[in-house]
Amino acid sequence: MISKTIIIKLITMYSLAYNIDPKVALAVCEVESGFNINAIGITKDLGLFQLNPKSFPQYSKKQLLDPITNIELDIKYLAQMKKECKYKDNLDWLLCYNMGMKNAKKVKYPKLWPYTKRVTKLVMNERF
């Protein structure tokens, strides 16, 4: 069993490597799974960052539940969404992370999106 302390260190390490604020990545992990490495969502998303197996078909369920694989894949995806999302203000790019690029285009006010608000609140409260 991997401890929450180790998970936080891994998330911080990968975040710094991919130019993501560690507080943001930690807040996303909290929102996605509450730091539960074995989390399986109602839509079958897996692990700490609730990765969708359809988005990572080259990985098995066991691999996606592996904390190190889950963290690395998700931090890479966070970095990609931060770079590619049309919303650039503050943490508005998290809308693209949460909904996907195509669906995010339909939202007029990303700051008001519940997911973006939850993560931003955790980051602003400096919970991590």
Side-chain angles (χ1 to χ4, degrees), residues 30-92:
E30 173 68 30
V31 168
E32 292 291 344
S33 73
F35 290 90
N36 178 356
I37 62 171
N38 296 308
I40 299 177
I42 58 171
T43 58
K44 306 291 187 222
D45 296 337
L46 301 170
L48 289 164
F49 285 96
Q50 293 292 278
L51 298 179
N52 185 327
K54 292 177 185 173
S55 298
F56 300 94
Q58 66 275 37
Y59 293 91
S60 69
K61 177 180 177 180
K62 183 179 178 181
Q63 288 172 310
L64 292 175
L65 282 168
D66 172 70
I68 296 170
T69 303
N70 193 281
I71 291 167
E72 182 177 13
L73 288 174
D74 196 77
I75 302 289
K76 281 182 186 179
Y77 184 66
L78 277 169
Q80 179 185 350
M81 291 300 99
K82 182 180 178 185
K83 180 181 177 184
E84 295 176 7
C85 188
K86 75 175 190 173
Y87 301 111
K88 300 295 182 190
D89 291 344
N90 302 309
L91 298 178
D92 290 355

